[in-house]
Amino acid sequence: MSEKNKERYDPQAFESKWREKWLETGLYNASSHDARPKYYCLDFFPYPSGAGLSVGHCRNYVPTDVICRYQRMNGRNVLHPMGWDAFGLPAENAAINQGRHPSETTREYAANYRRQMELIGVGYDWSREINSSDPEYYRWTQWFFLLLHRRGLAFRTSGYQWWCPDCKTILANEQVEAGKCWRCSETVTKKELDQWYFRITDYADRLLEGLDRIDWPERIKMMQRNWIGRSEGSTILFPLEGQEPLEVFTTRPDTLFGVSFMVLAPEHPLVGALTTDDRKSEVEAYAAQTLKQQEIDRLSTEREKSGVFTGSYASHPITGEPVPIWIADYVIMTYGSGAVMAVPAHDQRDFEFATKFELPIKPVIKPVKGELAQPLAEAFQEPGVMFNSGEFDGQPSQAGGQAVTAKLAKQKLGQAAITYRMRDWLISRQRFWGAPIPIIHCEGSCGIVPVPEDQLPVKLPEIAEIKPSGTGRSPLANVAEFVETTCPKCGGPGRRETDTMDGFACSSWYFLRFTSPHTKDRPFDETEMTYWSPTDLYVGGAEHAVMHLLYARFWTKVMFDEGLVPFDEPFPRLLNQGMVHAEDGSKMSKSKGNVISPDSVVDKHGADTLRTYELFMAPFDQPVTWSDQDIKGVHRFLSRIWRLAMEAGNLAALDDAEIDPTSLEPQQLALFKEIHRTAERVTADMDRLAFNTGIAAMMELLNRMYLHHEAHGMDRVLRQAVKMLVLLTAPMAPYMTEEIWSRAGGAYSIHQQPWPAFREAMLQRETFQLVVQVGGKKRDAIDVPVDIDADQAKELALNSEKVKPYLDGKKVLKAIYVPGRLVNIVVK
RNA sequence: GCCGGAGUGGCGGAAUUGGUAGACGCAAGGGACUUAAAAUCCCUCGAGGCUAUGCCUUGUGCCGGUUCGAUCCCGGCCUCCGGCACCA
């Protein structure tokens, strides 16, 4: 390398300059809808935390940025927006912990996130930045609430629900993980309150069915399927003396003849009526105890079965035999009808219960092959053949169950039924920091009255005391100016609903707002929404599998039904980025103090090195371990490009089309072909989001370029190679390539250049290595012309000096030629 | 327990999905340059072996199978990660 080109790669010298210029010129702003094909790439919008971004967040934002830059170079109108999921528990808790107001911390933390995103060169369209706590945004969240209300999908009811004693609010089922609050990990309890719900259960089947039409990680689909929990079976009525029959749900109507007792959930409404006087004190004590301890670990599978007899009997719907009715906490009130028919011979839980309380165990299903163990050591739960079942004996489980249900249906004692585990989405929060639920309770006789659309937004009052009270009422309840209002219907006095909406309501439609974020009179502009939607790619972590990703699908289906959007799946393609672990393999967390910030990495190596490293370390969706050692490798790679580029001089004037391959020396031609082959490989890798192998391909080219440089110096083919490599690396290393481009006489910006094309003709090879195998083992490799035919190839193979010894004294049975690859000689 | 995903060198990972296993990078060892260090560059690098500039055997979690040929397909196990967990 000559003296004058000794300037080293120093990202600090130019990164901030380009960062400012990109922002100034709005380089990454999407156009309004136009004739170009669009590409809408969306990242999960984050709640801004005081801790700032880690290199883990970058694993989400950098790859999507690279995809967007690539799509832009390919002529797409690209929308890559960013905003803030600012309302909700996470943001509010963080603020309270700091002793500050969330409106203030949100602003500050969001600004820091944005600074960091700009720092690492992610090209968001900041003209579309949105914030879900902005009244201009949440008026439309409230508008959607009214839409759901109008369609009968928002309702208010009372019940025992999950309550987080730390966050002092009710939570949705989705937001309780293994008995703990999803935000603060406090063990949840139950509280009875009037609450607002969205009727997501109405959409259970459609939410299930839609999963088959979308390209999502199998894991996430599986989690949603589990969560929805569809079970097919029957409801069966067990007549009771002197009252309405007892309803149960079962997936195994074929086991009906094996019922030896019934079990109700302790909270079941019939418990009182069914308890006989002599059992009363015991039953009430058990029910009370269940209610108290259920918060702790009614969830545990390990617990021994417990329960008490009510003293009553139901009659079997077919045999009429009396069946004793028990209560036990292993039966849950909120699933099915809160009551089960117990078949101990064929259900393990019932088996354990029957064993403990010495209740009869009557087998009615036997295996298709073989016999049941005598006596049963555990329940036989597989399907089989019915016996001990009167007229149904000999029927297989599936058909027999249907026959049983059909017979019951005739007597109006049963029918086929489907049950779901998913419950309706509870959206009331007794918290300040959320969109107020736009409802007024009339003090007169109008009851619950929705706030008229033209009175939206219902704004949060500006108050200092926002801490949750713990009384089961939101802090808004203490703000008279907020609460006291007039009833829109009768004009008399009214009181505003003081609960706010779950933060997940805000994130259930934000992807539509990005398409026209400044629209004033509607949630989004129809033309823009139709042009941009649905998203082409949605990327984020797996932690929202049964929260945000389920809720947003639900809202979209409601909007589809309302005719607001022309699609019912908002995210046809979803990817989860892999997590970044700390160097010791543990999770990065604030409490462990092992979080690596992008700031520190940019400071040390520059933004492009951080970006390229994140892309190179592993496939995009794989978890990775951060390594200060490995990052040096990609830094070296970028430095090596830089050095060659500095020597290459003016690149802008170079034109690939002007190079006539026939005029090149053989070694130049070899490199020239390598350039085009690399362009092809990188293009294919970008299309399948295989950034790690794409970078590897570029590293290979670079290695060859250095060898060429050694032998031939900076000739015109090498300069062409430099130009190609700079364009191919532009999406990954936007700063360095912009600097090189500008020094090399290129017009601003390199990020508006077309993605390099490759010449098909240059991908052709004249020869290839023909591998010769004997019995599947490689024995030779011969350079042969590409157009060699099978007979020629086989002849060459058979005559190879290296192969001959292996054919000695053997009989050649056949030779298989795989075009362009190998000949395998089969001997005996 | 049930469901989903994955097992390839010292490490991260490649392999056009049935066709040369280990691309690319890190680490390690050796060398060049340098007063020295950093930086840079070159060579070696799965294991075992041999008559060693080359060649042989073996090798993709384990055991079988299909095939001319298996990291890839089939059957049976083992391990790890993630999710759900008394849902009748």
PDB file of all heavy atoms in Angstrom, chain B residues 71-82:
ATOM      1  P     U B  71     -23.901 -38.302   6.062  1.00  0.00           P
ATOM      2  OP1   U B  71     -23.271 -37.773   4.862  1.00  0.00           O
ATOM      3  OP2   U B  71     -23.254 -39.355   6.870  1.00  0.00           O
ATOM      4  O5'   U B  71     -24.281 -37.096   7.031  1.00  0.00           O
ATOM      5  C5'   U B  71     -24.733 -37.352   8.342  1.00  0.00           C
ATOM      6  C4'   U B  71     -25.481 -36.172   8.879  1.00  0.00           C
ATOM      7  O4'   U B  71     -24.793 -34.953   8.482  1.00  0.00           O
ATOM      8  C3'   U B  71     -26.879 -35.991   8.304  1.00  0.00           C
ATOM      9  O3'   U B  71     -27.806 -36.796   9.003  1.00  0.00           O
ATOM     10  C2'   U B  71     -27.130 -34.504   8.552  1.00  0.00           C
ATOM     11  O2'   U B  71     -27.540 -34.274   9.873  1.00  0.00           O
ATOM     12  C1'   U B  71     -25.732 -33.904   8.360  1.00  0.00           C
ATOM     13  N1    U B  71     -25.581 -33.268   7.033  1.00  0.00           N
ATOM     14  C2    U B  71     -26.159 -32.005   6.896  1.00  0.00           C
ATOM     15  O2    U B  71     -26.763 -31.462   7.800  1.00  0.00           O
ATOM     16  N3    U B  71     -26.018 -31.429   5.660  1.00  0.00           N
ATOM     17  C4    U B  71     -25.348 -31.964   4.584  1.00  0.00           C
ATOM     18  O4    U B  71     -25.300 -31.322   3.534  1.00  0.00           O
ATOM     19  C5    U B  71     -24.767 -33.270   4.810  1.00  0.00           C
ATOM     20  C6    U B  71     -24.898 -33.856   6.001  1.00  0.00           C
ATOM     21  P     C B  72     -28.915 -37.633   8.185  1.00  0.00           P
ATOM     22  OP1   C B  72     -29.764 -38.287   9.196  1.00  0.00           O
ATOM     23  OP2   C B  72     -28.249 -38.425   7.128  1.00  0.00           O
ATOM     24  O5'   C B  72     -29.774 -36.501   7.446  1.00  0.00           O
ATOM     25  C5'   C B  72     -30.480 -35.509   8.182  1.00  0.00           C
ATOM     26  C4'   C B  72     -31.112 -34.544   7.209  1.00  0.00           C
ATOM     27  O4'   C B  72     -30.068 -33.956   6.380  1.00  0.00           O
ATOM     28  C3'   C B  72     -32.108 -35.192   6.272  1.00  0.00           C
ATOM     29  O3'   C B  72     -33.234 -34.351   6.079  1.00  0.00           O
ATOM     30  C2'   C B  72     -31.339 -35.354   4.964  1.00  0.00           C
ATOM     31  O2'   C B  72     -32.143 -35.284   3.817  1.00  0.00           O
ATOM     32  C1'   C B  72     -30.371 -34.161   5.021  1.00  0.00           C
ATOM     33  N1    C B  72     -29.133 -34.433   4.286  1.00  0.00           N
ATOM     34  C2    C B  72     -28.664 -33.502   3.349  1.00  0.00           C
ATOM     35  O2    C B  72     -29.306 -32.453   3.198  1.00  0.00           O
ATOM     36  N3    C B  72     -27.540 -33.762   2.657  1.00  0.00           N
ATOM     37  C4    C B  72     -26.889 -34.902   2.858  1.00  0.00           C
ATOM     38  N4    C B  72     -25.788 -35.113   2.145  1.00  0.00           N
ATOM     39  C5    C B  72     -27.330 -35.874   3.795  1.00  0.00           C
ATOM     40  C6    C B  72     -28.447 -35.608   4.484  1.00  0.00           C
ATOM     41  P     C B  73     -34.531 -34.640   6.984  1.00  0.00           P
ATOM     42  OP1   C B  73     -35.464 -33.516   6.775  1.00  0.00           O
ATOM     43  OP2   C B  73     -34.141 -35.031   8.352  1.00  0.00           O
ATOM     44  O5'   C B  73     -35.113 -35.944   6.266  1.00  0.00           O
ATOM     45  C5'   C B  73     -35.936 -35.821   5.113  1.00  0.00           C
ATOM     46  C4'   C B  73     -36.406 -37.189   4.675  1.00  0.00           C
ATOM     47  O4'   C B  73     -35.325 -37.886   4.002  1.00  0.00           O
ATOM     48  C3'   C B  73     -36.795 -38.130   5.810  1.00  0.00           C
ATOM     49  O3'   C B  73     -38.108 -37.887   6.263  1.00  0.00           O
ATOM     50  C2'   C B  73     -36.653 -39.493   5.148  1.00  0.00           C
ATOM     51  O2'   C B  73     -37.741 -39.779   4.307  1.00  0.00           O
ATOM     52  C1'   C B  73     -35.403 -39.279   4.285  1.00  0.00           C
ATOM     53  N1    C B  73     -34.150 -39.694   4.950  1.00  0.00           N
ATOM     54  C2    C B  73     -33.907 -41.059   5.137  1.00  0.00           C
ATOM     55  O2    C B  73     -34.745 -41.877   4.752  1.00  0.00           O
ATOM     56  N3    C B  73     -32.760 -41.451   5.736  1.00  0.00           N
ATOM     57  C4    C B  73     -31.877 -40.552   6.143  1.00  0.00           C
ATOM     58  N4    C B  73     -30.761 -40.977   6.732  1.00  0.00           N
ATOM     59  C5    C B  73     -32.093 -39.157   5.965  1.00  0.00           C
ATOM     60  C6    C B  73     -33.236 -38.773   5.383  1.00  0.00           C
ATOM     61  P     C B  74     -38.512 -38.169   7.780  1.00  0.00           P
ATOM     62  OP1   C B  74     -39.864 -37.603   7.989  1.00  0.00           O
ATOM     63  OP2   C B  74     -37.401 -37.755   8.663  1.00  0.00           O
ATOM     64  O5'   C B  74     -38.604 -39.758   7.822  1.00  0.00           O
ATOM     65  C5'   C B  74     -39.603 -40.456   7.078  1.00  0.00           C
ATOM     66  C4'   C B  74     -39.492 -41.929   7.355  1.00  0.00           C
ATOM     67  O4'   C B  74     -38.224 -42.421   6.815  1.00  0.00           O
ATOM     68  C3'   C B  74     -39.430 -42.310   8.826  1.00  0.00           C
ATOM     69  O3'   C B  74     -40.704 -42.364   9.415  1.00  0.00           O
ATOM     70  C2'   C B  74     -38.738 -43.677   8.771  1.00  0.00           C
ATOM     71  O2'   C B  74     -39.629 -44.691   8.368  1.00  0.00           O
ATOM     72  C1'   C B  74     -37.716 -43.452   7.659  1.00  0.00           C
ATOM     73  N1    C B  74     -36.397 -43.028   8.188  1.00  0.00           N
ATOM     74  C2    C B  74     -35.550 -44.003   8.727  1.00  0.00           C
ATOM     75  O2    C B  74     -35.934 -45.182   8.759  1.00  0.00           O
ATOM     76  N3    C B  74     -34.338 -43.630   9.201  1.00  0.00           N
ATOM     77  C4    C B  74     -33.957 -42.365   9.152  1.00  0.00           C
ATOM     78  N4    C B  74     -32.749 -42.049   9.635  1.00  0.00           N
ATOM     79  C5    C B  74     -34.803 -41.347   8.613  1.00  0.00           C
ATOM     80  C6    C B  74     -35.998 -41.719   8.143  1.00  0.00           C
ATOM     81  P     G B  75     -40.863 -41.958  10.964  1.00  0.00           P
ATOM     82  OP1   G B  75     -42.313 -41.806  11.208  1.00  0.00           O
ATOM     83  OP2   G B  75     -39.938 -40.846  11.303  1.00  0.00           O
ATOM     84  O5'   G B  75     -40.350 -43.269  11.706  1.00  0.00           O
ATOM     85  C5'   G B  75     -41.006 -44.508  11.522  1.00  0.00           C
ATOM     86  C4'   G B  75     -40.302 -45.592  12.287  1.00  0.00           C
ATOM     87  O4'   G B  75     -39.013 -45.876  11.664  1.00  0.00           O
ATOM     88  C3'   G B  75     -39.919 -45.237  13.719  1.00  0.00           C
ATOM     89  O3'   G B  75     -40.999 -45.343  14.615  1.00  0.00           O
ATOM     90  C2'   G B  75     -38.813 -46.246  13.997  1.00  0.00           C
ATOM     91  O2'   G B  75     -39.336 -47.529  14.254  1.00  0.00           O
ATOM     92  C1'   G B  75     -38.071 -46.257  12.655  1.00  0.00           C
ATOM     93  N9    G B  75     -36.957 -45.298  12.653  1.00  0.00           N
ATOM     94  C8    G B  75     -36.950 -44.023  12.138  1.00  0.00           C
ATOM     95  N7    G B  75     -35.802 -43.408  12.310  1.00  0.00           N
ATOM     96  C5    G B  75     -35.022 -44.330  12.991  1.00  0.00           C
ATOM     97  C6    G B  75     -33.674 -44.251  13.451  1.00  0.00           C
ATOM     98  O6    G B  75     -32.890 -43.290  13.348  1.00  0.00           O
ATOM     99  N1    G B  75     -33.265 -45.406  14.097  1.00  0.00           N
ATOM    100  C2    G B  75     -34.056 -46.525  14.270  1.00  0.00           C
ATOM    101  N2    G B  75     -33.491 -47.543  14.927  1.00  0.00           N
ATOM    102  N3    G B  75     -35.306 -46.628  13.848  1.00  0.00           N
ATOM    103  C4    G B  75     -35.719 -45.499  13.217  1.00  0.00           C
ATOM    104  P     G B  76     -41.022 -44.420  15.916  1.00  0.00           P
ATOM    105  OP1   G B  76     -42.320 -44.652  16.573  1.00  0.00           O
ATOM    106  OP2   G B  76     -40.610 -43.047  15.551  1.00  0.00           O
ATOM    107  O5'   G B  76     -39.876 -45.052  16.824  1.00  0.00           O
ATOM    108  C5'   G B  76     -40.000 -46.379  17.313  1.00  0.00           C
ATOM    109  C4'   G B  76     -38.749 -46.784  18.035  1.00  0.00           C
ATOM    110  O4'   G B  76     -37.630 -46.814  17.105  1.00  0.00           O
ATOM    111  C3'   G B  76     -38.274 -45.823  19.110  1.00  0.00           C
ATOM    112  O3'   G B  76     -39.006 -45.926  20.310  1.00  0.00           O
ATOM    113  C2'   G B  76     -36.813 -46.232  19.261  1.00  0.00           C
ATOM    114  O2'   G B  76     -36.670 -47.428  19.988  1.00  0.00           O
ATOM    115  C1'   G B  76     -36.434 -46.475  17.789  1.00  0.00           C
ATOM    116  N9    G B  76     -35.869 -45.245  17.206  1.00  0.00           N
ATOM    117  C8    G B  76     -36.492 -44.306  16.411  1.00  0.00           C
ATOM    118  N7    G B  76     -35.703 -43.308  16.077  1.00  0.00           N
ATOM    119  C5    G B  76     -34.497 -43.608  16.698  1.00  0.00           C
ATOM    120  C6    G B  76     -33.266 -42.910  16.699  1.00  0.00           C
ATOM    121  O6    G B  76     -32.967 -41.841  16.145  1.00  0.00           O
ATOM    122  N1    G B  76     -32.291 -43.566  17.451  1.00  0.00           N
ATOM    123  C2    G B  76     -32.497 -44.756  18.117  1.00  0.00           C
ATOM    124  N2    G B  76     -31.450 -45.236  18.797  1.00  0.00           N
ATOM    125  N3    G B  76     -33.629 -45.422  18.116  1.00  0.00           N
ATOM    126  C4    G B  76     -34.582 -44.798  17.391  1.00  0.00           C
ATOM    127  P     C B  77     -39.011 -44.668  21.317  1.00  0.00           P
ATOM    128  OP1   C B  77     -39.752 -45.071  22.539  1.00  0.00           O
ATOM    129  OP2   C B  77     -39.421 -43.460  20.569  1.00  0.00           O
ATOM    130  O5'   C B  77     -37.478 -44.529  21.668  1.00  0.00           O
ATOM    131  C5'   C B  77     -37.078 -44.234  22.972  1.00  0.00           C
ATOM    132  C4'   C B  77     -35.608 -44.555  23.124  1.00  0.00           C
ATOM    133  O4'   C B  77     -34.997 -44.726  21.820  1.00  0.00           O
ATOM    134  C3'   C B  77     -34.822 -43.430  23.765  1.00  0.00           C
ATOM    135  O3'   C B  77     -34.897 -43.499  25.176  1.00  0.00           O
ATOM    136  C2'   C B  77     -33.417 -43.654  23.221  1.00  0.00           C
ATOM    137  O2'   C B  77     -32.747 -44.701  23.892  1.00  0.00           O
ATOM    138  C1'   C B  77     -33.724 -44.086  21.785  1.00  0.00           C
ATOM    139  N1    C B  77     -33.813 -42.940  20.850  1.00  0.00           N
ATOM    140  C2    C B  77     -32.657 -42.203  20.531  1.00  0.00           C
ATOM    141  O2    C B  77     -31.573 -42.539  21.029  1.00  0.00           O
ATOM    142  N3    C B  77     -32.756 -41.147  19.690  1.00  0.00           N
ATOM    143  C4    C B  77     -33.932 -40.812  19.157  1.00  0.00           C
ATOM    144  N4    C B  77     -33.967 -39.787  18.332  1.00  0.00           N
ATOM    145  C5    C B  77     -35.117 -41.537  19.466  1.00  0.00           C
ATOM    146  C6    C B  77     -35.006 -42.575  20.295  1.00  0.00           C
ATOM    147  P     C B  78     -35.266 -42.165  25.962  1.00  0.00           P
ATOM    148  OP1   C B  78     -35.632 -42.556  27.344  1.00  0.00           O
ATOM    149  OP2   C B  78     -36.203 -41.355  25.151  1.00  0.00           O
ATOM    150  O5'   C B  78     -33.851 -41.437  26.009  1.00  0.00           O
ATOM    151  C5'   C B  78     -32.699 -42.136  26.477  1.00  0.00           C
ATOM    152  C4'   C B  78     -31.459 -41.321  26.211  1.00  0.00           C
ATOM    153  O4'   C B  78     -31.179 -41.302  24.784  1.00  0.00           O
ATOM    154  C3'   C B  78     -31.563 -39.853  26.571  1.00  0.00           C
ATOM    155  O3'   C B  78     -31.376 -39.621  27.958  1.00  0.00           O
ATOM    156  C2'   C B  78     -30.463 -39.238  25.708  1.00  0.00           C
ATOM    157  O2'   C B  78     -29.184 -39.475  26.260  1.00  0.00           O
ATOM    158  C1'   C B  78     -30.614 -40.051  24.425  1.00  0.00           C
ATOM    159  N1    C B  78     -31.493 -39.390  23.433  1.00  0.00           N
ATOM    160  C2    C B  78     -30.991 -38.286  22.709  1.00  0.00           C
ATOM    161  O2    C B  78     -29.833 -37.898  22.930  1.00  0.00           O
ATOM    162  N3    C B  78     -31.783 -37.679  21.795  1.00  0.00           N
ATOM    163  C4    C B  78     -33.019 -38.122  21.584  1.00  0.00           C
ATOM    164  N4    C B  78     -33.759 -37.493  20.672  1.00  0.00           N
ATOM    165  C5    C B  78     -33.554 -39.236  22.296  1.00  0.00           C
ATOM    166  C6    C B  78     -32.763 -39.833  23.209  1.00  0.00           C
ATOM    167  P     U B  79     -32.119 -38.409  28.670  1.00  0.00           P
ATOM    168  OP1   U B  79     -31.924 -38.551  30.131  1.00  0.00           O
ATOM    169  OP2   U B  79     -33.490 -38.288  28.107  1.00  0.00           O
ATOM    170  O5'   U B  79     -31.274 -37.148  28.176  1.00  0.00           O
ATOM    171  C5'   U B  79     -29.893 -37.029  28.505  1.00  0.00           C
ATOM    172  C4'   U B  79     -29.280 -35.896  27.737  1.00  0.00           C
ATOM    173  O4'   U B  79     -29.382 -36.159  26.304  1.00  0.00           O
ATOM    174  C3'   U B  79     -29.967 -34.548  27.898  1.00  0.00           C
ATOM    175  O3'   U B  79     -29.575 -33.890  29.090  1.00  0.00           O
ATOM    176  C2'   U B  79     -29.519 -33.811  26.640  1.00  0.00           C
ATOM    177  O2'   U B  79     -28.202 -33.329  26.758  1.00  0.00           O
ATOM    178  C1'   U B  79     -29.549 -34.926  25.600  1.00  0.00           C
ATOM    179  N1    U B  79     -30.820 -34.971  24.835  1.00  0.00           N
ATOM    180  C2    U B  79     -30.969 -34.055  23.792  1.00  0.00           C
ATOM    181  O2    U B  79     -30.119 -33.240  23.506  1.00  0.00           O
ATOM    182  N3    U B  79     -32.163 -34.143  23.111  1.00  0.00           N
ATOM    183  C4    U B  79     -33.189 -35.029  23.354  1.00  0.00           C
ATOM    184  O4    U B  79     -34.195 -34.990  22.638  1.00  0.00           O
ATOM    185  C5    U B  79     -32.965 -35.934  24.440  1.00  0.00           C
ATOM    186  C6    U B  79     -31.817 -35.881  25.129  1.00  0.00           C
ATOM    187  P     C B  80     -30.579 -32.864  29.789  1.00  0.00           P
ATOM    188  OP1   C B  80     -30.026 -32.558  31.125  1.00  0.00           O
ATOM    189  OP2   C B  80     -31.956 -33.374  29.667  1.00  0.00           O
ATOM    190  O5'   C B  80     -30.441 -31.571  28.875  1.00  0.00           O
ATOM    191  C5'   C B  80     -29.230 -30.841  28.834  1.00  0.00           C
ATOM    192  C4'   C B  80     -29.279 -29.814  27.724  1.00  0.00           C
ATOM    193  O4'   C B  80     -29.535 -30.489  26.460  1.00  0.00           O
ATOM    194  C3'   C B  80     -30.411 -28.806  27.821  1.00  0.00           C
ATOM    195  O3'   C B  80     -30.121 -27.753  28.720  1.00  0.00           O
ATOM    196  C2'   C B  80     -30.522 -28.336  26.372  1.00  0.00           C
ATOM    197  O2'   C B  80     -29.504 -27.421  26.037  1.00  0.00           O
ATOM    198  C1'   C B  80     -30.295 -29.638  25.614  1.00  0.00           C
ATOM    199  N1    C B  80     -31.562 -30.316  25.240  1.00  0.00           N
ATOM    200  C2    C B  80     -32.261 -29.861  24.112  1.00  0.00           C
ATOM    201  O2    C B  80     -31.808 -28.908  23.470  1.00  0.00           O
ATOM    202  N3    C B  80     -33.416 -30.473  23.749  1.00  0.00           N
ATOM    203  C4    C B  80     -33.883 -31.498  24.462  1.00  0.00           C
ATOM    204  N4    C B  80     -35.011 -32.077  24.069  1.00  0.00           N
ATOM    205  C5    C B  80     -33.193 -31.980  25.617  1.00  0.00           C
ATOM    206  C6    C B  80     -32.050 -31.372  25.964  1.00  0.00           C
ATOM    207  P     C B  81     -31.311 -27.045  29.528  1.00  0.00           P
ATOM    208  OP1   C B  81     -30.705 -26.213  30.584  1.00  0.00           O
ATOM    209  OP2   C B  81     -32.317 -28.065  29.874  1.00  0.00           O
ATOM    210  O5'   C B  81     -31.931 -26.090  28.410  1.00  0.00           O
ATOM    211  C5'   C B  81     -31.185 -25.009  27.875  1.00  0.00           C
ATOM    212  C4'   C B  81     -31.911 -24.393  26.712  1.00  0.00           C
ATOM    213  O4'   C B  81     -32.107 -25.390  25.677  1.00  0.00           O
ATOM    214  C3'   C B  81     -33.334 -23.918  27.014  1.00  0.00           C
ATOM    215  O3'   C B  81     -33.359 -22.675  27.676  1.00  0.00           O
ATOM    216  C2'   C B  81     -33.931 -23.867  25.609  1.00  0.00           C
ATOM    217  O2'   C B  81     -33.484 -22.732  24.894  1.00  0.00           O
ATOM    218  C1'   C B  81     -33.327 -25.129  24.990  1.00  0.00           C
ATOM    219  N1    C B  81     -34.229 -26.305  25.103  1.00  0.00           N
ATOM    220  C2    C B  81     -35.281 -26.438  24.191  1.00  0.00           C
ATOM    221  O2    C B  81     -35.427 -25.571  23.317  1.00  0.00           O
ATOM    222  N3    C B  81     -36.112 -27.510  24.270  1.00  0.00           N
ATOM    223  C4    C B  81     -35.923 -28.416  25.235  1.00  0.00           C
ATOM    224  N4    C B  81     -36.763 -29.452  25.275  1.00  0.00           N
ATOM    225  C5    C B  81     -34.864 -28.306  26.183  1.00  0.00           C
ATOM    226  C6    C B  81     -34.043 -27.245  26.080  1.00  0.00           C
ATOM    227  P     G B  82     -34.566 -22.359  28.702  1.00  0.00           P
ATOM    228  OP1   G B  82     -34.242 -21.082  29.361  1.00  0.00           O
ATOM    229  OP2   G B  82     -34.842 -23.562  29.514  1.00  0.00           O
ATOM    230  O5'   G B  82     -35.805 -22.138  27.732  1.00  0.00           O
ATOM    231  C5'   G B  82     -35.873 -20.993  26.904  1.00  0.00           C
ATOM    232  C4'   G B  82     -37.045 -21.105  25.963  1.00  0.00           C
ATOM    233  O4'   G B  82     -36.915 -22.312  25.173  1.00  0.00           O
ATOM    234  C3'   G B  82     -38.407 -21.274  26.624  1.00  0.00           C
ATOM    235  O3'   G B  82     -38.919 -20.071  27.133  1.00  0.00           O
ATOM    236  C2'   G B  82     -39.222 -21.832  25.468  1.00  0.00           C
ATOM    237  O2'   G B  82     -39.529 -20.842  24.518  1.00  0.00           O
ATOM    238  C1'   G B  82     -38.212 -22.817  24.866  1.00  0.00           C
ATOM    239  N9    G B  82     -38.374 -24.165  25.437  1.00  0.00           N
ATOM    240  C8    G B  82     -37.558 -24.787  26.353  1.00  0.00           C
ATOM    241  N7    G B  82     -37.980 -25.985  26.669  1.00  0.00           N
ATOM    242  C5    G B  82     -39.138 -26.159  25.920  1.00  0.00           C
ATOM    243  C6    G B  82     -40.038 -27.263  25.852  1.00  0.00           C
ATOM    244  O6    G B  82     -39.982 -28.340  26.439  1.00  0.00           O
ATOM    245  N1    G B  82     -41.088 -27.011  24.973  1.00  0.00           N
ATOM    246  C2    G B  82     -41.261 -25.853  24.262  1.00  0.00           C
ATOM    247  N2    G B  82     -42.335 -25.791  23.472  1.00  0.00           N
ATOM    248  N3    G B  82     -40.421 -24.815  24.321  1.00  0.00           N
ATOM    249  C4    G B  82     -39.399 -25.039  25.163  1.00  0.00           C
TER     250        G B  82
END
